[in-house]
Amino acid sequence: MLNYIWAGMILLGIVYGTLTGNMEALTNAAMDSAGEAVSLCITTSGVMALWMGLMEIAQKSGLIARLTKGIQPFISFLFPRIPKEHEAREYISANVIANVLGLGWACTPAGLKAMEALAKLEAERENPEYLTENGKRGNDGKRGRAASNEMCTFLILNISSLQLIPVNMIAYRQQYGSANPAGIIAPAIVATFVSTVVAVVYCKVKNRKGRA
């Protein structure tokens, strides 16, 4: 759907520029935007490298492990049906921590792994008789026919996640000449805190109704 929307906007702009005699301005704008896109990619690549390096240091020092352990009560509160030793917990924790630190690039792999683990968990619930030869639960590629409550909750939490340092927005504001790129930090904390609280309340209410 988004592809159709963007394609329609581009075609509308070309048609409008042609009809109003502004094709030269349209061409110049397209070329300037292409150059800005490359410059923005270079800027964000540097910011990403910096924060990914800091994340690597935090992981090597054990900080990420301590943070992961520290948020387990929150994970248990949101996902009470996930077994305590299940791999999904680790991926969800890593995703939440990366989101809180504003590292959208770093949280994506953990988010995908979490969804895969939750899908396998749901498949095991639907097929409890499926076991591997050594007696452990296996994965034969089957998935649940619909997203589980845990998958929906994780998706909503991921979208609304609290961010202490909105790295992306700071990089964008710096790229486009903001006098105070970091001035977005306080409003972002307030906005994402409210969105996270609303998301948590919504998920708990919907899960309770689903069990009623």
Side-chain angles (χ1 to χ4, degrees), residues 81-140:
R81 297 181 61 212
I82 299 179
K84 289 189 176 181
E85 301 301 324
H86 198 274
E87 60 179 347
R89 282 178 168 263
E90 179 181 352
Y91 293 131
I92 292 173
S93 299
N95 179 271
V96 170
I97 292 171
N99 263 322
V100 169
L101 296 178
L103 303 176
W105 314 282
C107 72
T108 300
L112 294 175
K113 289 290 186 181
M115 279 297 188
E116 290 180 0
L118 292 174
K120 285 195 289 185
L121 178 62
E122 187 65 14
E124 291 174 358
R125 289 170 178 167
E126 293 183 356
N127 303 278
E129 72 284 354
Y130 179 76
L131 300 174
T132 59
E133 293 180 357
N134 59 5
K136 295 183 179 180
R137 293 186 186 277
N139 175 26
D140 58 357

Side-chain angles (χ1 to χ4, degrees), residues 7-23 26:
M9 292 174 63
I10 292 172
L11 290 175
L12 182 61
I14 294 174
V15 171
Y16 182 80
T18 302
L19 295 177
T20 57
N22 292 316
M23 280 303 297
L26 180 63

Side-chain angles (χ1 to χ4, degrees), residues 199-211:
V200 170
V201 172
Y202 174 80
C203 291
K204 298 302 290 185
V205 170
K206 295 298 288 186
N207 287 338
R208 181 172 298 179
K209 287 184 178 180
R211 291 194 297 267

Side-chain angles (χ1 to χ4, degrees), residues 118 161 163 169:
L118 292 174
S161 178
Q163 286 194 9
M169 291 304 300

